[in-house]
Amino acid sequence: MSVRAPCYGAPMASIKKVQVTFDCAEPERVARFWCEVLGYVVPQPPEGCATWDDFDRTLPAEHQGAWFACSDPSGEGPRLFFQRVPEGKVVKNRVHLDVRVGTGLVGEERLAVLEAECARLVALGAVCVQLLRADGINESCIVMQDIEGNEFCLD
């Protein structure tokens, strides 16, 4: 039996939207943190429910609080989906978000913007892990963790 190699460069279906999914212990808490980080919003609850808590109470007990989502109010950025999983985070993320606050800035101006945003996010519960200073190839960025330890970068 032969295995066909993927055909890169061939015509592909047009992907219009992506969703980024986070495994976490407390979906609503983590979603609301990311709303603050990115300026995202929580969508309206389903028809017939005044609040998300009302909707949650309509679900079987084992599904209550199992997920939460938020989205970019402009419709440009991906939807973020947070799903409860039983296990905690053990190792470094294989994929992470780069929060692009310093785009187009260099040197001390970039560093000042990154540090100001870092301070804002630390006040929300994020953890500053490491400042990576510009090295002649890459500009400065700050490695951080969200409120459940998921890594992301201020870039």
Side-chain angles (χ1 to χ4, degrees), residues 60-74:
E62 67 272 13
H63 295 294
Q64 292 178 5
W67 62 271
F68 212 80
C70 60
S71 58
D72 179 353
S74 74

Side-chain angles (χ1 to χ4, degrees), residues 8-84:
Y8 298 110
M12 63 178 255
S14 177
I15 309 274
K16 300 294 183 199
K17 295 284 182 182
V18 297
Q19 171 175 282
V20 179
T21 300
F22 290 72
D23 290 348
C24 55
E26 298 179 68
E28 183 174 354
R29 179 175 173 249
V30 180
R32 291 190 184 280
F33 168 82
W34 281 101
C35 282
E36 291 294 323
V37 171
L38 300 173
Y40 272 35
V41 296
V42 174
Q44 293 296 313
E47 193 172 320
C49 297
T51 67
W52 280 103
D53 285 338
D54 290 344
F55 170 75
D56 220 29
R57 285 189 285 277
T58 69
L59 301 174
E62 67 272 13
H63 295 294
Q64 292 178 5
W67 62 271
F68 212 80
C70 60
S71 58
D72 179 353
S74 74
E76 294 294 316
R79 178 179 189 247
L80 302 182
F81 185 81
F82 303 85
Q83 62 188 7
R84 185 175 60 218

Side-chain angles (χ1 to χ4, degrees), residues 11 87 106 117:
E87 66 278 355
V106 297
E117 184 65 0

